[in-house]
Amino acid sequence: MSIMKNVTVGEFIVESQNNFPGSTGELSKILSAIKLASKILSHQINKAGLAKEILGSVGKENTQGEDQQKLDVFANDTFINALSARGVICGVASEENRSFIAFNDNVNNDAKYVVLIDPLDGSSNIDVNVSVGTIFSVYKRQSKKGQPVEMKDFLQSGNCQVASGYIIYGSSTMLVYTTGSGVNGFTFDPSIGVFFLSHPNMKIPKEGKLYSVNEGNFAEFCPAIREYIKFCQSEDLSTNKRKYNSRYIGSLVADFQRNLIKGGIYLYPSNLSHPNGKLRLTYECAPLAFIAEQAGGRAISKDKRVMEIPPSELHQRVPFFVGSKYMIDHLEEILASER
Ligand code: P6P
């Protein structure tokens, strides 16, 4: 796909804003803040192999009990600083922080949006040069304007998202987002520091040939998941060829992006070490579910759409299945037969 050098993400945001009569430009400012922070982080990640001081562990665990990487802290600080500087959001919830952060001043208390973010997903892959990503979600606050933000502002189901997206820091840095009118991808040109529209109106193929799951957990999956994986591994009797290929990078944004472009299914089921699944509903599953559905795909968790699940707490984990429509339809049938 050739990069359409004539449209930058900034121009695209302004153009899209014009399609929302009465829009005040606040959402555009949020997207611009995310764009800025992603450029700063991309620069740090791309030199990580050379600048040893930003590699490796901080030597303590984050709120999830996971070994916190130095770049996790840098990414978290970078996005929170960029988002708090524009006076357009009243608070942020991050994977790296136990609770939300209220931007409790006169300007931000009047803002109407909140942001939830996984600043650097898959950061343990950085040391081995595997793609990593940022995932974000934007909601309108439910609490009274002019007052400090409240927890209920962050515990809204995915259906209420006004925007979501991700940045993938890989062979190139790409920003992919939706505001509910389709999905568009922008590729960063570091030589001039600009994101260009490279993947307009992204659509996930209805069927794919790739399934993405950590098969090391196979013995711990429920019978229905094991049945589906065996189906993926089986041969197509009409061609004597395997139906699908297994591709698992172990970095959610990278696995998601590959399936979005090529078609496929990503599964993170419950297992013994993660009885409710590993991925977080509010800042990983719901934003990617919004992207998937806007691109013509599907995202479910057990027996319902991810976008319908009302979060019970900020860091709630859920089983997550996302990808090509027909592949999710098939998995859903198998899961239903087990209930
Ligand atoms: P496992 C990275 O830690 C992450 O949150 C996702 O990016 C990735 O898809 C998943 O966990 C990998 O988990 O248990 O297969 O190593």
Side-chain angles (χ1 to χ4, degrees):
M1 171 85 62
S2 66
I3 291 184
M4 299 166 69
K5 285 270 188 181
N6 58 343
V7 181
T8 67
V9 67
E11 291 162 341
F12 189 88
I13 290 171
V14 170
E15 185 60 31
S16 307
Q17 176 187 309
N18 294 338
N19 297 335
F20 285 87
S23 67
T24 55
E26 287 174 275
L27 185 55
S28 301
K29 286 181 184 172
I30 294 171
L31 294 169
S32 293
I34 288 170
K35 175 183 69 169
L36 171 65
S38 66
K39 290 180 184 180
I40 294 168
L41 185 54
S42 175
H43 176 68
Q44 290 299 324
I45 289 171
N46 290 338
K47 72 176 189 181
L50 301 171
K52 294 297 179 193
E53 71 278 4
I54 58 170
L55 271 182
S57 168
V58 178
K60 63 177 181 150
E61 293 182 341
N62 65 9
T63 59
Q64 320 292 325
E66 296 160 346
D67 187 24
Q68 194 171 42
Q69 303 296 304
K70 291 174 189 168
L71 269 173
D72 283 324
V73 175
F74 179 82
N76 199 39
D77 294 348
T78 301
F79 276 97
I80 289 173
N81 292 338
L83 289 165
S84 64
R86 308 275 172 120
V88 289
I89 60 171
C90 45
V92 174
S94 168
E95 184 203 34
E96 297 300 326
N97 300 89
R98 186 170 305 284
S99 187
F100 63 85
I101 298 168
F103 298 148
N104 188 7
D105 57 55
N106 293 337
V107 173
N108 287 307
N109 278 344
D110 269 345
K112 63 184 177 189
Y113 294 110
V114 296
V115 171
L116 294 95
I117 192 162
D118 183 355
L120 194 57
D121 180 80
S123 54
S124 56
N125 291 300
I126 286 178
D127 293 16
V128 294
N129 215 1
V130 166
S131 300
V132 292
T134 298
I135 310 169
F136 66 88
S137 185
V138 185
Y139 291 86
K140 277 190 179 167
R141 72 182 300 175
Q142 298 298 302
S143 56
K144 192 169 178 300
K145 190 176 176 184
Q147 302 298 316
V149 70
E150 299 171 22
M151 179 59 84
K152 68 179 181 182
D153 295 313
F154 299 95
L155 300 182
Q156 303 180 56
S157 64
N159 281 326
C160 301
Q161 291 176 98
V162 294
S164 80
Y166 62 86
I167 299 99
I168 180 167
Y169 311 95
S171 52
S172 64
T173 293
M174 262 189 81
L175 165 63
V176 177
Y177 79 89
T178 182
T179 56
S181 304
V183 178
N184 291 281
F186 303 82
T187 299
F188 185 54
D189 181 341
S191 66
I192 52 176
V194 176
F195 281 96
F196 284 103
L197 179 62
S198 55
H199 296 69
N201 193 27
M202 297 177 83
K203 292 295 179 192
I204 185 170
K206 294 294 184 199
E207 180 63 79
K209 293 293 182 192
L210 300 173
Y211 72 99
S212 191
V213 66
N214 182 340
E215 297 189 53
N217 297 325
F218 184 84
E220 301 178 19
F221 294 149
C222 70
I225 295 295
R226 293 205 299 269
E227 179 187 340
Y228 181 74
I229 292 173
K230 283 179 186 163
F231 166 81
C232 292
Q233 294 167 339
S234 65
E235 281 196 3
D236 185 332
L237 298 178
S238 62
T239 61
N240 289 329
K241 288 181 182 171
R242 276 192 304 116
K243 292 183 181 66
Y244 301 115
N245 279 325
S246 173
R247 290 287 183 276
Y248 192 68
I249 301 168
S251 184
L252 173 60
V253 173
D255 281 314
F256 180 86
Q257 159 111 334
R258 182 205 50 245
N259 291 347
L260 175 64
I261 293 173
K262 292 181 177 284
I265 186 171
Y266 173 92
L267 306 93
Y268 207 104
S270 303
N271 58 46
L272 293 181
S273 45
H274 296 98
N276 295 314
K278 177 181 184 183
L279 302 177
R280 271 56 62 111
L281 172 60
T282 58
Y283 43 77
E284 290 174 331
C285 302
L288 293 182
F290 192 18
I291 293 272
E293 292 194 357
Q294 283 289 311
R298 294 191 63 199
I300 62 173
S301 178
K302 294 182 196 165
D303 57 349
K304 58 178 65 152
R305 282 173 66 224
V306 168
M307 299 270 276
E308 292 169 353
I309 304 173
S312 55
E313 59 97 14
L314 268 188
H315 303 290
Q316 177 184 352
R317 299 174 192 264
V318 294
F320 186 47
F321 311 112
V322 63
S324 293
K325 180 183 183 313
Y326 297 155
M327 299 177 85
I328 297 288
D329 290 350
H330 182 205
L331 171 64
E332 190 176 48
E333 283 171 25
I334 294 175
L335 289 169
S337 65
E338 184 179 62
R339 281 194 286 274

